[in-house]
Amino acid sequence: MQINTKFNIGQELYLCTDLAAKHNQCYICNGTGKINYKYETFTCPKCHGNNKPQPIEFRPKKVTISKIRISVSTGGNSTNIKYTFIDEMGKKRNIPEDRNILFTTLEEAENKCTELNKEVTTNED
């Protein structure tokens, strides 16, 4: 069986990501500054209400593919391809090919990030 992938191991790509914005939020209150418990509202004990949600902004980030994982269902009807890269914290991250957020050029990634940023701003209104 021969399966063609878009990208190869060791290839440098650009990932359109919003990971930085999500990591800035308080993990206890999710950036709301408040916790609700039994119909009562309390100030978050971790951030004391000072960690307001950061606006999500998609930005391109350069990554190098370290592994490709392919799974095929019985009969070969569906193929799932995931690309693995190591992030700046040393953690392995998997991106499914069908998410369409990995690009070979910076310009393609910037265009996709701009498109996603427009979606975020229209959803916030």
Side-chain angles (χ1 to χ4, degrees):
M1 175 184 292
Q2 183 174 351
I3 298 173
N4 296 323
T5 61
K6 282 185 184 178
F7 311 115
N8 299 314
I9 294 174
Q11 186 174 3
E12 289 187 344
L13 301 172
Y14 294 93
L15 169 68
C16 187
T17 182
D18 67 337
L19 295 176
K22 289 182 180 177
H23 289 301
N24 291 334
Q25 289 184 4
C26 175
Y27 64 89
I28 292 177
C29 67
N30 294 321
T32 62
K34 299 175 185 171
I35 296 174
N36 295 319
Y37 179 72
K38 292 187 177 181
Y39 306 106
E40 295 288 332
T41 302
F42 303 95
T43 302
C44 176
K46 173 84 172 140
C47 70
H48 306 289
N50 296 327
N51 190 2
K52 301 299 178 205
Q54 301 290 325
I56 295 176
E57 179 182 354
F58 291 89
R59 286 175 263 153
K61 175 179 149 183
K62 196 175 201 177
V63 298
T64 303
I65 301 299
S66 62
K67 179 178 161 184
I68 299 174
R69 186 171 51 197
I70 300 170
S71 60
V72 181
S73 66
T74 52
N77 294 336
S78 72
T79 303
N80 296 321
I81 300 173
K82 290 185 180 180
Y83 298 99
T84 302
F85 66 94
I86 309 293
D87 69 5
E88 60 276 353
M89 302 292 239
K91 289 183 138 188
K92 290 182 181 179
R93 302 285 182 188
N94 296 310
I95 303 291
E97 186 176 71
D98 59 0
R99 281 208 44 212
N100 197 25
I101 56 173
L102 283 171
F103 302 95
T104 53
T105 64
L106 180 60
E107 292 79 25
E108 289 175 322
E110 287 175 340
N111 290 339
K112 180 67 173 184
C113 288
T114 302
E115 179 184 314
L116 291 172
N117 285 329
K118 286 179 184 176
E119 289 177 18
V120 169
T121 54
T122 56
N123 289 338
E124 288 178 353
D125 295 340

